Amino acid sequence: MQLISLCAFALAGLLALAFGVRYLLTREFMPYHAQVLGKPWAALEPRLQAIIIGMLKVAGAGLVGCGSAMLWLLIPLQRGEAWAAWAALTTFMAVIFPILYVVLWLRRVAPGAKTPVIPTLAAMALVVVGTVAFFVR
């Protein structure tokens, strides 16, 4: 079960890192943002674009930090330290629950928008599976 736990936590960390890097490197909002807004990026005034890019960079940095923490926690998790499983669960959920709230809220505003609900739920499930697998011996 330890291997399942480590793999689940590692995958969740890598997912957070991947999404974080994507947001850090973006030069415009995501396609689902355009769907919600009903306007392409080019239709926004430059000052609004600057604000949105700033917020995307902050979100990306948070995800990179969360993903990095998850990967660092693999070391004590591999040693069987229970505090690390609780730290991974609480750290990840503290970052991901607000993201889930926002992507669901955006879908409510624009039901056709393809917000990343499934990847967000999958990452959450990985951390729950990792936590449960850690404690089942």
Side-chain angles (χ1 to χ4, degrees), residues 39-125:
K39 291 181 184 180
W41 178 254
L44 302 180
E45 69 173 85
R47 289 176 187 236
L48 181 56
Q49 288 179 347
I51 291 168
I52 292 170
I53 287 295
M55 288 189 287
L56 289 172
K57 304 268 184 223
V58 169
L63 284 165
V64 166
C66 178
S68 298
M70 294 296 290
L71 295 177
W72 275 110
L73 285 168
L74 292 175
I75 296 168
L77 286 165
Q78 189 174 21
R79 292 191 300 245
E81 297 178 27
W83 70 267
W86 294 118
L89 177 67
T90 56
T91 300
F92 201 82
M93 292 306 177
V95 171
I96 299 301
F97 268 120
I99 292 171
L100 179 62
Y101 173 80
V102 169
V103 297
L104 289 172
W105 181 68
L106 290 176
R107 278 219 183 157
R108 219 172 126 215
V109 171
K114 294 181 172 131
T115 62
V117 173
I118 300 301
T120 304
L121 289 172
M124 292 173 87

Side-chain angles (χ1 to χ4, degrees), residues 10-58:
L11 283 172
L14 291 171
L15 267 173
L17 276 175
F19 273 87
V21 168
R22 181 175 182 217
Y23 276 68
L24 281 172
L25 297 178
T26 192
R27 294 177 168 258
E28 61 184 58
F29 57 36
M30 301 298 145
Y32 66 88
H33 294 130
Q35 288 178 301
V36 172
L37 187 58
K39 291 181 184 180
W41 178 254
L44 302 180
E45 69 173 85
R47 289 176 187 236
L48 181 56
Q49 288 179 347
I51 291 168
I52 292 170
I53 287 295
M55 288 189 287
L56 289 172
K57 304 268 184 223
V58 169

